[in-house]
Amino acid sequence: MKKIVINGGKRISGTIPISGAKNSVVALIPATILANDIVTLEGVPDISDVASLVEIMEIMGAKIERNFEEGRLVIDTRSVVSRPLPYGKINSLRASYYFNGALLGRFGQATVGLPGGCDLGPRPTDLHDKAFKALGARKIQEEEAEHLEVVGDSLIGTTIYMDVVSVGATINTMLAASRAKGVTIIENAAREPEIIDVATLLNNMGAQVRGAGTDIIRITGTEEMHGARHTVIPDRIEAGTYLALAAAIGDGVVIENVIYEHLESFIAKLEEMGVRLTIRQDSIEVHKSENLKAVNITSVPYPGFATDLQQPITPLLLQTKGRGWIVDTIYEKRVNHVPELARMGADISVLDDRILYEAPNELTGACVKATDLRAGAALVTAGAIAKGTTQISNIEFILRGYDHIIEKLTAVGVDIQLIEA
Ligand code: UD1
């Protein structure tokens, strides 16, 4: 079993480079199936979710050259066949549901095990089902998988209203609709930067996706798609995680390879707290920040404050002065980091789906458990802030989404190690 051990309480300085976005790349890899050709992805993060997707793609027959040092994947999907994808690997990540849209689009059928991912409370897929059905596919629920097949000759474009703003359902619909006959309109679409990134790749592969980044996306289906080269956008969640860490214990930390516009709501919160920042074209410098004040956070769909960043910012909130709360309107049960932070001495609790805290808190090292990806990131930050030694178990969650986290944090002066326990 692997653990992360941190001897915290030290100030950090230097540069942290940001890798390609996890939530983009996990959709871009399945999307390459639609090309039936060779697609080169650059800026691919070295994270275990990518390794899992590569393994699944190879099971389907894709030929993949990977060069993680250079962040490149060359994916040849010409020999991919739509064979049933069993539970096992598929269940290791949430984004495996993108195989449904991609396989349905290219082959008119897909049998994919049920998706896994972090436990954030209920994570239904009814909107994905609704979209596939509207496009003309039938779903047969099997014990541990779902089988989708086109009822007529092909998927047919239509208008689909998303009852809830959903990143996954928006992307899955774009994937399937790219190869449908006619025009598909997604209303109340999610607007996350990762959706624009997927649309960019689809367009470079010959699709016609218009309006990505707004709440109405129009996709004109095409019979043929082709190879392309694409660079993954920087990971705004990784950037936000390290910005929060730098605000807590930094003394001149530069977060490099960021798109500021993707982080506007997060940065607005940092500024409200009193964090001193210098924003440059593709980097953000965090200056030594003191006398921070407590703020309240409500996570909402993009461009609002991201649910994926409410856990990583929590340890920083504990370093401010005053009382505050966090409400996660996307996943109200996304509170698993709270008891672990309390074990480290934080004055934090959950009341009626609201996280309440009182700061400042003197965090002390403890043995804690990463219960999900972003809770794990919160514990790494808390461990770096805390006095003494913090041991984090269940770190597989963290390695799913943070590329070279040990090396990146060591380089700025965090005393952090990965050990085999
Ligand atoms: C994606 C991200 C995840 C992020 C989340 C919200 C990936 C791989 N994961 O997850 O990191 O936290 O967006 O920004 O990109 N919903 C339904 N029915 C559905 C689908 C979703 O009711 O069919 C609800 C969900 O329960 C949730 C909300 O819609 O309350 C948003 O979920 P969604 O955007 O779909 O999340 P994911 O795509 O799974």
Side-chain angles (χ1 to χ4, degrees):
M1 204 211 322
K2 287 181 181 148
K3 287 188 176 182
I4 288 179
V5 179
I6 306 171
N7 292 307
K10 298 174 182 68
R11 286 255 157 209
I12 61 170
S13 60
T15 299
I16 307 180
I18 298 304
S19 302
K22 166 191 166 285
N23 283 352
S24 250
V25 79
V26 296
L28 296 171
I29 293 173
T32 63
I33 292 171
L34 291 162
N36 190 12
D37 199 354
I38 300 171
V39 176
T40 302
L41 297 179
E42 309 270 6
V44 175
D46 185 0
I47 52 176
S48 65
D49 268 12
V50 167
S52 301
L53 288 170
V54 164
E55 219 176 287
I56 297 165
M57 292 282 287
E58 285 175 336
I59 292 172
M60 280 189 275
K63 298 200 168 55
I64 303 185
E65 279 171 39
R66 55 200 113 160
N67 184 334
F68 277 129
E69 243 158 62
E70 292 189 14
R72 184 178 310 117
L73 282 182
V74 182
I75 307 176
D76 182 348
T77 59
R78 285 173 296 186
S79 44
V80 164
V81 286
S82 183
R83 62 167 58 106
L85 294 174
Y87 204 46
K89 268 282 161 211
I90 286 283
N91 179 246
S92 71
L93 74 168
R94 181 85 190 147
S96 51
Y97 53 34
Y98 292 134
F99 286 118
N100 289 327
L103 290 170
L104 194 60
R106 174 159 160 199
F107 298 104
Q109 58 144 319
T111 305
V112 182
L114 301 176
C118 291
D119 178 11
L120 313 176
R123 298 185 80 178
T125 52
D126 56 309
L127 293 171
H128 303 240
D129 297 347
K130 174 177 156 174
F132 293 143
K133 189 172 172 199
L135 289 168
R138 161 171 62 207
K139 173 174 139 177
I140 299 161
Q141 190 68 52
E142 297 174 359
E143 204 174 324
E144 289 186 330
E146 63 182 35
H147 175 73
L148 292 162
E149 62 190 22
V150 173
V151 178
D153 293 339
S154 70
L155 295 173
I156 308 278
T158 184
T159 296
I160 299 160
Y161 176 80
M162 296 290 173
D163 308 89
V164 176
V165 176
S166 160
V167 176
T170 301
I171 292 179
N172 238 341
T173 308
M174 289 188 335
L175 297 179
S178 290
R179 296 284 290 263
K181 267 203 185 115
V183 177
T184 299
I185 296 171
I186 308 175
E187 294 178 340
N188 200 26
R191 292 182 283 164
E192 269 70 358
E194 293 75 20
I195 289 168
I196 303 176
D197 206 27
V198 174
T200 305
L201 173 67
L202 291 173
N203 287 338
N204 289 342
M205 295 187 334
Q208 281 188 55
V209 183
R210 303 289 177 261
T214 76
D215 59 359
I216 298 194
I217 301 179
R218 189 184 168 91
I219 306 130
T220 308
T222 174
E223 264 179 42
E224 292 287 321
M225 289 172 77
H226 51 74
R229 181 177 282 269
H230 179 83
T231 302
V232 185
I233 56 168
D235 195 314
R236 64 196 166 98
I237 310 300
E238 187 196 18
T241 301
Y242 295 143
L243 283 169
L245 174 65
I249 54 168
D251 194 352
V253 176
V254 178
I255 311 295
E256 210 170 59
N257 187 32
V258 293
I259 297 177
Y260 161 74
E261 289 75 10
H262 294 173
L263 282 154
E264 267 184 322
S265 52
F266 186 78
I267 288 179
K269 271 295 156 195
L270 293 183
E271 286 174 339
E272 189 185 331
M273 292 162 76
V275 176
R276 294 190 309 118
L277 303 163
T278 301
I279 293 159
R280 304 204 176 88
Q281 199 170 348
D282 61 0
S283 68
I284 299 173
E285 181 169 356
V286 188
H287 305 287
K288 186 171 179 182
S289 302
E290 285 164 320
N291 303 319
L292 300 179
K293 60 175 207 284
V295 295
N296 301 324
I297 288 175
T298 304
S299 81
V300 287
Y302 189 84
F305 194 99
T307 167
D308 284 348
L309 281 171
Q310 66 90 348
Q311 290 165 302
I313 203 176
T314 307
L316 173 63
L317 297 177
L318 300 172
Q319 305 310 299
T320 60
K321 191 157 190 280
R323 280 188 192 163
W325 47 257
I326 303 171
V327 173
D328 194 323
T329 69
I330 314 287
Y331 296 112
E332 54 189 37
K333 300 287 175 223
R334 197 168 204 174
V335 295
N336 288 336
H337 58 312
V338 170
E340 302 304 303
L341 291 173
R343 286 152 73 90
M344 297 176 74
D347 185 352
I348 188 166
S349 57
V350 179
L351 186 69
D352 298 337
D353 301 329
R354 183 175 284 237
I355 299 171
L356 304 172
Y357 70 92
E358 188 162 351
N361 288 201
E362 175 116 335
L363 297 178
T364 45
C367 291
V368 288
K369 192 163 143 190
T371 46
D372 57 79
L373 169 58
R374 306 301 171 189
L379 296 179
V380 170
T381 301
I385 296 170
K387 290 220 160 69
T389 304
T390 296
Q391 272 207 23
I392 308 173
S393 58
N394 273 24
I395 64 154
E396 292 69 25
F397 282 113
I398 301 171
L399 303 180
R400 279 189 48 207
Y402 287 88
D403 181 2
H404 286 97
I405 186 166
I406 305 292
E407 292 83 349
K408 288 186 188 187
L409 293 183
T410 302
V412 289
V414 179
D415 182 349
I416 180 169
Q417 287 174 50
L418 190 126
I419 60 161
E420 291 284 348

